[in-house]
């Protein structure tokens, strides 16, 4: 084997005409066919893993994934023979589990497949003319049943199992809708078609016996047990605003819930061919997918309809319309949505709908978006990026950038990035593009269209032509390695142009046939060409003449290349060989081993060589070429490889083919040779931008800046108004509170006086009660003493009476004893006489018993003799009957001999069954022990399941509620994501603009910083002034209050002094009055002076307030840290819950598998009695009831609060990202979109949750 190895890295492409070409492996990973591989693509992390096709495979025809997501079945054609390969998806990497390729029946290819609900059986449909339906036990490669579905060569599009029953099968095709059941080793049809036959294109199971079917005339039918229950016709109407709407015109009865199982895809070519006779206005239903609320179906080109079940009635109505968006890069935007949706698939959580179309495109939409866009049709988005929908004809790469340029017969040019695996640029044209070449700098391309040769600029967001040449149908073009020249082929002539003055410097003529390949040598001094005329020429560009030539007319060359030293030319062509040519002669020919080489490429180091074949494989070999068959062959494409290239650093191999797919491969030499050193200079990041675009962007930036300034001024004005309003409100509130405090003080004083009065009253009342109690107590003591004396006298009288009564009772007792002894003697004499009489009677009875025993023995002997005689008579009677039965048995043996001769053909089958029974008996002994152990395991598992089901109920209820909350929050998140995407699209590098305006922006930023500093300083000054103003207002109020108090005091003092003056003639009274004035007013003056101490209290209050504010800030920081810790804990708990749910699902699957295995074993041991169907029907609903039973949730408010907090943090993170992007030097948002404030959204969310 060769030491050169290639590993698949990424693929750009889809094969949409493979049946059932897209489905979900889990919530993030989808599987789809591309080239001759199946790709596992992670939608979130953007990585790809590959499941290669079988060796010598000619392409995949159909796919099917098992319901438990463990197995993938692929239908292929390998060396003209059909084969089904089953892969185990759970292993890493995916490995082959079984290969079904030995068939006892005629088959050309398998066009549709389906796994049974328990993944044990596989259903496969063959193509006409056989049209056999095969029912496999695939793990044992055993065909359980086979039946021919159609005898009129009508195409069959889809087969499927019932989602709950392994034995029920549905088949749809042109003019056929059949339900079959597997019983007694055969598949028997259970329904009968009524009415006109339809071309049934797709179907999906609704329930155990209910199916929705779509036709090529836009009709949807619902069948229950083969009988039609509901019908809806979908018509396409021409609207007024350049778009088409779909209306449901007829509805009837419907049924309930649809399980989320995607319908497999029929062959698109067959459906178009068979439905070509139908009306063009009728939408064709190519795909149907069911989900919990209803189902989705394709409804004509570029449209998908969602049907939901009515709550009050039992029918379905159209709820949403989803369209494929118009592509602005398309040459004819009206045609971009004219592509049929061939397959639909819902994610396991039903949050995302994925669709594949007839133009090899993949689209997706989140279901929450369809709920937001009520009234207006929702639009799909590209799942990855736009892909080629036709064979790729041109492939090119460059040196300075990690770019790949491709052109295709779909009239498009696409620029890919093989480092990030993304689509950089994409544009469609009116003419087909046959060839393309990328300038080494990565800024220009030359493209050969059907009408002209165009030289184009690769701008940052567009591809623009700046020079056209009248070269028609250019099939090959190529830039030189230095980029100063480029060559273009026109028929059998090569035109060479310069990239400096864009003129034709030479035309190389000499080929007599069409030129198929051209290549430059390392120093661009020579050009090598090969064509269909069997000629390989080496041209000297300085003279414009041929230097060497090698002509072999029996070979039509497909591709040529040259070694790095330009000494040896390698050519491949139609004669199944690889030729080494040097000095106009063929040095050596290496056989291709029955395939045709279509392309060849050699590494820049000269150590590795790769060739592409007509069957889609690539071969990696080392150079110098070995004599033996030493190469590594890899499955790549599903069609002939058209182009192949190596990047300049020999790290990556690029291949393109007629299947429209582009593969990137990582190549290396196991011996450590052939790989160039790592790049000393990284890839260039420069892009081309036109002057008009720069001016437009500058104008937009100026407008946005002015708009920002206006908004700032408006916000400041609004803030001032709010401050004024708030200050007025604060004044009103303070006045109101002061008044209320004064009124409360007065009330408090009144209440105190009332309380004192009540205290005095209660004291007096208590003293009166105590006196009254003492008097009553003395009276009671006197009365009680008198009563005690009376009672004592009564006691003495009663004591005398008791003594007399006791003496009387003793006398009575002595008399009673004497009478008792006399009565006892009399009774003993009486009973002794009676006892003698009884003994005599007993002896007589014993003699009677002995006599009866003797009589009994005699009767017993007589009865035994009679029984013996009767037994003898019965024996003779039954012996006669036995002889009669033996004679009848002899007659029956004769009849059985005759029957054996009649059923000799059945005897062969019986012998086969006996052989199976013998093998089963051999296994029976081994399995008996296994059964016992399994029964014990089942009991343990039942107990575990019962315990875990209880926890599952709590978890599922909680998850269901959280999903509802997440859906509501997802709507807000989607709006923000959409705005962020728009902003990210507009935020792109403008480095040329940065160079021009860098100095101006720096000056403006410096001025802006000064303005910010001044604004912050002014704001601080304003706040200080406001605080001082508030303090002065408070002081002014206090001083005014103090002034009013002093004036009142002075007035009272004047009046009292005036009263004292009346006693001026009486010194003694005057002295007393003056002393009273002193005691009265000097103390109040002291109280007034104490008010001056309030300033010290204010200072102490301010100091305490600062201290509390610092403590509050530290507490806030602690709360933020603790909330982060709680959020991480919550995320961890959610992850643990997800892992537990996965483990529970695995245990359920294992339990179901063990139950079915036990049932099979019991059937083999003949222990079952038709009980299992009832048990299954009972266990299934019970499990459903368990999964749907409502359980009480714990800490609902706490959980919702945590979820809302997580969403807020996510929104805040996205806002920070937007601000960081806006703060990059020279970048500002280009749209006047203003995000809603986070505080308002938080309030809205809290209102909704409450």
């Amino acid at each position: 084997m060769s030491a050169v190895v290639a590993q698949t890295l990424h693929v750009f492409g889809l094969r949409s005409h493979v049946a059932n070409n897209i489905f979900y492996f889990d919530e993030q990973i989808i599987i789809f066919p591309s080239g001759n591989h199946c790709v596992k693509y992670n939608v979130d992390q953007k990585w790809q893993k590959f499941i290669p096709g079988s060796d010598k495979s000619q392409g995949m025809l159909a796919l099917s994934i098992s319901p438990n997501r463990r197995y993938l079945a692929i239908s292929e054609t390998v060396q003209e023979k059909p084969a089904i390969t089953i892969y185990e998806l759970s292993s890493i990497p995916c490995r082959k589990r079984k290969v079904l390729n030995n068939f006892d029946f005629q088959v050309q290819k398998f066009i549709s497949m389906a796994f049974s609900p328990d993944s044990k059986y596989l259903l496969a449909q063959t193509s006409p003319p056989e049209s056999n339906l095969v029912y496999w036990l695939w793990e044992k490669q055993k065909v359980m049943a086979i039946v021919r579905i159609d005898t009129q060569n009508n195409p069959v599009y889809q087969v499927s199992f019932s989602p709950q029953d392994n034995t029920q099968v549905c088949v749809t095709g042109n003019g056929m809708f059949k339900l079959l059941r597997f019983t007694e080793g055969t598949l028997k049809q259970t329904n009968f078609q009524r009415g006109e036959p339809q071309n049934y294109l797709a179907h999906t199971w609704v329930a155990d016996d209910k199916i929705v079917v779509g036709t090529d005339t836009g009709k949807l039918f619902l069948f229950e047990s083969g009988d039609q229950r509901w019908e809806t016709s979908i018509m396409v109407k021409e609207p007024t605003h350049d778009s088409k709407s779909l209306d449901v015109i007829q509805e009837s009865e419907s049924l309930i819930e649809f399980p989320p199982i995607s319908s497999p895809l029929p062959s698109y070519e067959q459906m178009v061919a068979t439905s070509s006779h139908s009306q063009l206005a009728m939408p064709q239903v190519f795909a149907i997918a069911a989900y919990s609320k209803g189902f989705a179906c394709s409804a004509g080109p570029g449209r998908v309809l969602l049907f939901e079940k009515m709550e009050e009635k039992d029918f379905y109505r159209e709820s949403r319309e989803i369209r494929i968006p118009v592509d602005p890069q398309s040459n004819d935007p009206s045609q971009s949505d004219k592509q049929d949706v061939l397959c639909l698939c819902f994610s396991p959580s039903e949050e995302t709908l994925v669709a594949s179309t007839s133009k090899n495109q993949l689209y997706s939409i989140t279901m929450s978006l369809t709920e937001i866009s009520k009234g207006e049709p929702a639009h799909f988005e590209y799942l990855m990026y736009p892909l080629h929908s036709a064979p790729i004809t041109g492939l090119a790469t460059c040196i300075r950038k990690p770019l790949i340029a491709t052109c295709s017969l779909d009239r498009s040019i696409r620029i890919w990035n093989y480092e990030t695996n993304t689509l950089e640029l994409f544009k469609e044209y009116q003419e087909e593009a046959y060839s393309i070449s990328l300038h080494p700098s990565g800024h220009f391309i030359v493209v050969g269209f059907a009408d002209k040769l165009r030289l184009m600029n690769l701008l940052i967001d567009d591809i623009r032509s700046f020079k056209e040449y009248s070269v028609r149908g250019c099939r090959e073009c190529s830039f030189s390695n230095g980029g100063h020249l480029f060559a273009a082929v026109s028929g059998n002539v090569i035109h060479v142009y310069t990239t400096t003055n864009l003129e034709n410097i030479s035309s190389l003529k000499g080929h007599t046939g069409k030129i198929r390949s051209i290549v430059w040598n390392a120093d661009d001094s020579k050009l090598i060409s090969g064509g269909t005329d069997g000629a390989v020429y080496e041209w000297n560009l300085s003279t414009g003449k041929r230097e060497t030539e090698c002509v072999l007319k029996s070979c039509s060359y497909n591709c040529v290349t040259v070694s790095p030293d330009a000494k040896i030319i390698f050519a491949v062509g139609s004669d199944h060989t690889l030729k080494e040519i040097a000095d106009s002669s063929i040095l050596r020919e290496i056989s291709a081993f029955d395939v045709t080489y279509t392309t060849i490429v050699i590494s820049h180091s000269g150590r590795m060589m790769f060739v592409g074949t007509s069957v889609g494989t690539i071969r990696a070999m080392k150079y110098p070429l070995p004599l033996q068959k030493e190469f590594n062959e890899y499955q790549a494409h599903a069609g002939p490889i058209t182009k192949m290239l190596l990047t300049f650093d020999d790290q990556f191999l690029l291949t393109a083919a007629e299947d429209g797919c582009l593969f990137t491969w990582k190549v290396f030499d196991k011996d450590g040779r052939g790989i160039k050193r790592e790049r000393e200079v990284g890839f260039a990041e420069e892009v081309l931008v036109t002057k008009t675009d720069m001016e437009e962007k500058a104008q937009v930036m100026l407008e946005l800046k002015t708009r920002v300034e206006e908004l700032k001024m408006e916000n400041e004005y609004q803030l001032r108004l709010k401050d004024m309003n708030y200050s007025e409100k604060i004044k009103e509130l303070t006045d109101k509170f002061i008044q209320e405090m004064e009124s409360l003080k007065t009330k408090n004083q009144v209440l105190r006086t009332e309380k004192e009065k009540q205290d005095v009253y209660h004291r007096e009342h208590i003293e009166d009660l105590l006196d009254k109690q003492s008097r009553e107590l003395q009276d009671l003591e006197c009365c009680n003493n008198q009563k005690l004396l009376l009672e004592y006298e009564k006691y003495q009288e009663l004591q005398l009476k008791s003594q007399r009564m006791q003496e009387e009772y003793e006398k009575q007792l002595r008399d009673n004893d004497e009478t008792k002894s006399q009565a006892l003697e009399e009774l003993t004499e009486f009973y002794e006489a009676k006892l003698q009489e009884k003994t005599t009677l007993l002896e007589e009875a014993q003699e009677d018993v002995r006599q009866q025993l003797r009589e009994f023995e005699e009767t017993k002997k007589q009865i035994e003799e009679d029984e013996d005689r009767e037994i003898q008579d019965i024996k003779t009677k039954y012996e006669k009957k036995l002889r009669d039965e033996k004679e009848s048995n002899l007659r029956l043996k004769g009849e059985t001999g005759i029957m054996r001769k009649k059923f000799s053909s059945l005897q062969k089958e019986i012998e086969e069954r006996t052989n199976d029974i013998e093998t089963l008996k051999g296994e029976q002994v081994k399995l008996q022990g296994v059964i016992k152990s399994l029964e014990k395991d089942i009991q343990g598992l039942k107990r575990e399941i019962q315990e875990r089901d209880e926890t599952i109920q709590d978890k599922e209820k909680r998850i269901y509620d959280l999903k509802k909350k997440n859906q509501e929050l997802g709507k807000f998140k989607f709006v923000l994501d959409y705005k962020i995407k728009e902003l990210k699209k507009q935020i792109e590098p403008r480095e040329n603009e940065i160079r021009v305006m860098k100095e101006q922006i720096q000056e403006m930023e410096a001025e802006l910083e000064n303005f910010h500093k001044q604004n912050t300083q002014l704001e601080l000054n304003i706040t200080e002034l406001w605080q001082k103003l508030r303090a002065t207002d408070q002081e002014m109020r206090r001083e005014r209050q103090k002034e009013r108090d002093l004036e009142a005091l002075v007035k009272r003092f004047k009046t009292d002094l005036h009263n004292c003056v009346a006693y001026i003639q009486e010194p003694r009274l005057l002295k007393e009055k003056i002393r009273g004035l002193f005691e009265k007013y000097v103390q109040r003056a002291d109280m007034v002076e104490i008010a001056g101490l309030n300033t010290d209290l204010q200072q102490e209050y301010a100091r305490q307030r600062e201290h509390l504010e610092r403590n509050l800030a530290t507490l806030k920081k602690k709360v933020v840290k603790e909330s982060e810790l709680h959020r991480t804990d919550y995320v961890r708990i959610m992850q643990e819950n997800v892992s537990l749910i996965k483990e529970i699902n695995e245990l359920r699957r294992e339990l179901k598998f063990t139950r079915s295995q036990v049932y099979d074993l019991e059937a083999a041991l003949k222990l079952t009695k038709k009980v299992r169907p009832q048990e299954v029907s009972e266990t299934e609903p019970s499990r459903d009831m368990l999964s749907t039973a409502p359980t009480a949730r714990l800490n609902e408010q706490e959980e919702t609060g945590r979820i809302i907090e997580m969403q807020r943090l996510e929104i805040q993170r996205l806002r920070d990202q937007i601000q960081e992007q806006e703060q990059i030097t020279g970048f500002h948002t280009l749209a006047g979109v203003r995000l809603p404030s986070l505080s308002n959204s938080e309030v809205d969310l809290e209102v909704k949750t409450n």
Side-chain angles (χ1 to χ4, degrees), residues 57 82 103 116 143 258 307 319 405 702 761 779 893 994 1059 1067:
S57 171
F103 310 112
S116 63
V143 177
F258 288 69
F307 285 84
S319 60
L702 288 174
Y761 172 74
D779 295 336
K893 284 180 181 179
I994 292 166
N1059 293 328

Side-chain angles (χ1 to χ4, degrees), residues 1090-1206:
I1090 290 169
L1093 298 174
N1094 287 334
T1095 56
D1096 296 333
L1097 293 174
Q1098 287 180 356
Q1099 292 177 358
E1100 180 66 20
Y1101 170 74
R1103 187 178 63 78
Q1104 293 290 337
R1105 182 179 178 181
E1106 289 177 359
H1107 176 67
L1108 291 173
E1109 285 177 351
R1110 286 196 296 273
N1111 290 337
L1112 183 62
T1114 55
L1115 289 172
K1116 283 182 179 178
K1117 290 180 182 178
K1118 289 182 180 179
V1119 167
V1120 171
K1121 291 180 181 178
E1122 289 178 356
S1123 64
E1124 288 291 329
L1125 293 173
H1126 285 303
R1127 188 175 68 82
T1128 54
D1129 292 338
Y1130 179 74
V1131 172
R1132 178 178 59 76
I1133 291 167
M1134 288 293 292
Q1135 291 175 353
E1136 290 177 357
N1137 287 340
V1138 170
S1139 63
L1140 286 172
I1141 290 168
K1142 289 182 179 177
E1143 184 179 356
I1144 289 162
N1145 290 331
E1146 290 294 329
L1147 288 172
R1148 282 182 173 172
R1149 295 191 192 99
E1150 291 178 5
L1151 178 60
K1152 188 176 180 182
F1153 177 74
T1154 52
R1155 282 178 178 168
S1156 60
Q1157 191 173 8
V1158 168
Y1159 172 72
D1160 294 337
L1161 293 172
E1162 289 178 351
L1165 296 170
K1166 298 180 181 180
L1167 295 175
T1168 60
K1169 298 178 181 179
K1170 297 183 179 179
V1171 180
R1172 191 175 182 274
Q1174 297 177 357
E1175 291 178 353
V1176 173
S1177 63
E1178 290 175 0
T1179 54
E1180 288 294 329
S1182 66
R1183 192 171 61 190
D1184 294 338
M1185 288 173 67
L1186 283 173
S1187 64
T1188 59
T1191 56
R1193 296 186 57 208
L1194 299 176
N1195 298 328
E1196 182 177 359
Q1197 294 293 332
E1198 189 176 352
E1199 288 179 1
T1200 53
R1202 288 179 181 174
I1203 294 165
I1204 292 167
E1205 186 63 24
M1206 290 172 66

